[in-house]
Amino acid sequence: MSLQWTAVATFLYVEVFFVLLLCIPFISPKRWSQIFKSRLIQTIALYGNTWFMVAIAILVFLLIDAVREVWKYSVTDKVDLTNNPTAIEHIHMKLFRAQRNEYIAGFALLLCLLLRRIATLLSQQATLLASNEAFKKQAEGASNAAKKYMEDNELLQEKLREAGVEVPEAGKKGAGPHEENKTLKEEVKTLKGELDTTKKALQKSDSDVRAMKKQAENLTVEYDRLLEEHSKLLVASDKKSD
């Protein structure tokens, strides 16, 4: 394997490691968000977008080169080489290496995009969780305040009735406390609606993260299978050389 493809394969192994690391279930999105917001990660992120685009461009170029090599050596069906077994073996070896490089470049490109997407989804999920907790606390605070105000209002009305003061009914016009209670109830209803909207957005983000994690696991299994086939082909090639 040449130096450039050794570097790409190493980059692919690093990507597989980070994808598996991000898929660890017991690390919460909040923890990942704190890690992403750390000083070191923020310093790297200043130039991260530029390096990401450079890496994508290099991987695309290498993928195109690998595809070209595959087309170049896919000539065994078009050219009669039955009288030259050495040439056939050489072409098959070149074709195998070109296909291997194609898989390496393709998976490296795919995992590079996948890593960026997973990191974005984890950050968004952490933000939605924080918003959900804030809305929940705000709704609970408004509900408790409304209940306390209604209890105090009822207690005051009972004391006024015991003192012989005529208290207007709740349904009549000019009932100030009733209007305020109604306003508080509407505010609580609005906050509950916002909380439901945030929960739906959080559920959608959770579904996206699960789908990306499942896709990453499938890619890892497929890559392991290709490595196993690669090892078998190398053993077969060594046996033919012997």
Side-chain angles (χ1 to χ4, degrees):
M1 188 181 289
S2 62
L3 182 61
Q4 63 179 7
W5 290 111
T6 302
V8 175
T10 304
F11 182 66
L12 176 60
Y13 299 148
V14 173
E15 286 180 321
V16 171
F17 171 76
F18 279 110
V19 167
L20 293 177
L21 187 64
L22 290 174
C23 292
I24 294 176
F26 54 82
I27 301 180
S28 65
K30 286 184 179 180
R31 177 65 61 185
W32 281 120
S33 180
Q34 292 175 356
I35 295 173
F36 294 154
K37 292 179 181 178
S38 64
R39 183 177 299 178
L40 177 62
I41 301 300
Q42 289 295 321
T43 303
I44 296 174
L46 291 175
Y47 307 98
N49 192 49
T50 302
W51 286 110
F52 176 77
M53 298 305 296
V54 171
I56 291 295
I58 293 174
L59 290 175
V60 169
F61 175 77
L62 291 174
L63 179 61
I64 294 173
D65 182 66
V67 172
R68 183 186 62 82
E69 290 291 321
V70 170
W71 288 347
K72 178 181 177 181
Y73 292 107
S74 298
V75 296
T76 55
D77 297 334
K78 300 177 183 178
V79 180
D80 186 12
L81 298 174
T82 54
N83 297 326
N84 194 349
T86 305
I88 294 177
E89 185 177 353
H90 179 73
I91 289 176
H92 282 171
M93 182 183 65
K94 290 289 188 181
L95 179 60
F96 166 74
R97 290 179 178 175
Q99 289 174 341
R100 177 201 62 193
N101 295 339
E102 181 182 8
Y103 283 122
I104 290 174
F107 278 115
L109 178 62
L110 183 60
L111 286 180
C112 191
L113 298 172
L114 189 64
L115 270 174
R116 186 182 179 92
R117 182 59 178 166
I118 290 176
T120 303
L121 287 175
L122 286 173
S123 299
Q124 291 177 353
Q125 187 181 13
T127 303
L128 288 173
L129 284 172
S131 300
N132 184 24
E133 291 180 359
F135 280 126
K136 186 176 180 180
K137 289 180 180 179
Q138 188 176 1
E140 289 176 353
S143 178
N144 293 332
K147 288 180 181 179
K148 186 176 183 302
Y149 183 82
M150 291 175 66
E151 290 174 358
D152 293 342
N153 186 31
E154 290 176 357
L155 182 61
L156 179 61
Q157 288 181 358
E158 289 179 0
K159 290 182 177 180
L160 289 174
R161 290 191 186 98
E162 291 176 358
V165 179
E166 185 177 352
V167 179
E169 295 296 332
K172 291 183 179 180
K173 285 186 176 181
H178 175 69
E179 294 295 329
E180 293 180 3
N181 289 339
K182 185 176 180 181
T183 303
L184 287 173
K185 288 181 180 179
E186 290 176 355
E187 183 179 354
V188 171
K189 186 176 180 181
T190 302
L191 290 173
K192 286 183 177 179
E194 293 176 354
L195 181 60
D196 292 337
T197 303
T198 306
K199 286 182 178 179
K200 291 178 180 178
L202 180 59
Q203 290 174 356
K204 185 177 182 299
S205 177
D206 286 336
S207 301
D208 291 339
V209 170
R210 292 193 197 98
M212 297 297 288
K213 287 183 178 179
K214 187 173 181 182
Q215 185 179 4
E217 292 172 357
N218 293 335
L219 286 173
T220 304
V221 172
E222 180 65 16
Y223 181 71
D224 291 338
R225 185 184 67 80
L226 290 172
L227 283 180
E228 184 177 354
E229 293 180 1
H230 169 55
S231 300
K232 291 180 180 180
L233 289 173
L234 284 178
V235 172
S237 178
D238 292 338
K239 289 181 178 179
K240 288 182 180 180
S241 299
D242 294 337

